[in-house]
Amino acid sequence: EPQQKRGKGAVRWATVVCAGLVFGVVASAAFQTSNIVAGKVLGTTQTTNKTAKTTTTSNSKLTTSTNSSIGTANVTEVTKNAMPSIVSITNMSVQEVQNFFGGVSQQESESAGSGIIISQTDEELLIVTNYHVIAGSETLTVTFDDETSLEANIKGTDSEHDLAVIAVPLDTISSDTMEAIAVATLGDSTKLQIGEPAIVIGNALGYGQSVTTGVISALNRQNSGTDAQTGEEVTSDIKLIQTDAAINPGNSGGALVNANGEVVGINSSKIAGTTVEGMGYAIPISDVMDILDNL
């Protein structure tokens, strides 16, 4: 009889242990199920967060390298195609300078800017630039991509919109230079989106053509900046494109180019100051085509 009692006790304990294990498994499964359901409903699971972060990072890398956002190879290709249509402009002007004794004397002054080849007629090569680049000029010199320099004349100006068109006679341009240059491909600035790539090409500091990159920072900005060349205030009723691609003195009149190599803006000004960085402005090309045609 004692042996039989011990056997029954062991059975009872085994039953209790099994019941506990079953309860634990069921509770654990229920807990995991509730976590999964809550995660799907509230988006709080660790797996979801990792997936979102990976997807965002992957998409960012894909955009940068594949869609030519700011990838080195793509900028190189865009620049290679766009550079032949950009020129450097040297403005020789005469300014009146007051001397120490109160007298006024005339002094020759040289300033640098940029331009974009936008058209060719039977007689001339037409170049658009900013009005403030050619203002007060006695002599205008255009330097092409092959470093050939020729004299240009003014076709028309619009100081209100800070625009000018200058021309170089075709009979002064050699066949070698004509093969080295190109008429710019103009894009549609009305289709620009904030955050898309932007490339600035121009004669920065008068050293020759250089390239900076960034993005379209904002659209339809009122012009509240200063001239990138002279530091003077520039006024215009045209709503401008804002970019963080560096615009420096000498870039005025140069091209703001999109990732397809199309000119979407004419670089015109920047906000200068110790507390400001990366706020440059360009005139939207689509908004001024009628003006340029008239000029």
Side-chain angles (χ1 to χ4, degrees):
E1 288 181 0
Q3 290 177 353
Q4 290 177 354
K5 288 181 179 180
R6 283 196 297 271
K8 290 180 179 179
V11 172
R12 290 193 189 96
W13 278 111
T15 302
V16 171
V17 170
C18 289
L21 290 172
V22 171
F23 177 80
V25 171
V26 172
S28 176
F31 179 76
Q32 292 296 332
T33 302
S34 65
N35 278 344
I36 292 171
V37 172
K40 288 183 178 180
V41 174
L42 302 177
T44 58
T45 64
Q46 187 175 3
T47 303
T48 303
N49 284 335
K50 285 183 177 178
T51 302
K53 181 179 289 187
T54 303
T55 301
T56 301
T57 304
S58 297
N59 284 343
S60 177
K61 288 180 179 178
L62 182 63
T63 300
T64 301
S65 59
T66 304
N67 292 344
S68 72
S69 299
I70 214 79
T72 302
N74 295 308
V75 172
T76 301
E77 190 66 24
V78 169
T79 302
K80 181 180 178 181
N81 293 330
M83 191 76 82
S85 65
I86 312 301
V87 303
S88 301
I89 299 175
T90 302
N91 178 352
M92 296 294 295
S93 61
V94 176
Q95 298 180 348
E96 292 186 346
V97 180
Q98 187 171 8
N99 58 33
F100 179 78
F101 301 101
V104 177
S105 61
Q106 290 188 335
Q107 181 176 330
E108 198 172 60
S109 175
E110 178 178 316
S111 60
S114 305
I116 309 165
I117 302 173
I118 58 166
S119 183
Q120 177 184 335
T121 68
D122 293 337
E123 299 179 350
E124 299 171 317
L125 202 63
L126 299 174
I127 299 166
V128 63
T129 185
N130 290 137
Y131 170 77
H132 68 262
V133 169
I134 56 87
S137 66
E138 292 287 331
T139 305
L140 284 177
T141 302
V142 168
T143 302
F144 295 103
D145 189 44
D146 67 347
E147 299 185 357
T148 298
S149 296
L150 296 171
E151 191 170 327
N153 56 77
I154 299 174
K155 292 290 290 184
T157 63
D158 186 334
S159 59
E160 181 182 354
H161 298 100
D162 195 24
L163 293 169
V165 173
I166 63 177
V168 178
L170 290 181
D171 59 12
T172 65
I173 307 174
S174 69
S175 56
D176 289 341
T177 297
M178 288 299 295
E179 290 179 3
I181 63 179
V183 175
T185 300
L186 305 183
D188 187 351
S189 58
T190 65
K191 295 181 179 180
L192 287 175
Q193 298 184 42
I194 295 173
E196 73 171 87
I199 301 171
V200 166
I201 305 176
N203 181 24
L205 298 181
Y207 294 156
Q209 303 301 347
S210 62
V211 178
T212 56
T213 61
V215 297
I216 301 298
S217 303
L219 300 170
N220 301 318
R221 291 296 201 200
Q222 293 287 350
N223 189 352
S224 57
T226 57
D227 169 30
Q229 177 182 324
T230 65
E232 298 177 356
E233 185 177 353
V234 179
T235 58
S236 172
D237 59 359
I238 296 290
K239 298 292 181 67
L240 302 178
I241 303 166
Q242 180 183 327
T243 179
D244 65 344
I247 295 178
N248 295 295
N251 279 135
S252 294
L256 181 70
V257 180
N258 63 17
N260 296 322
E262 300 167 334
V263 175
V264 292
I266 304 166
N267 303 320
S268 62
S269 61
K270 69 175 182 179
I271 293 181
T274 56
T275 60
V276 180
E277 184 176 347
M279 296 185 72
Y281 296 91
I283 301 170
I285 193 68
S286 299
D287 292 354
V288 296
M289 283 308 301
D290 289 342
I291 297 174
L292 297 179
D293 286 340
N294 290 333
L295 297 182

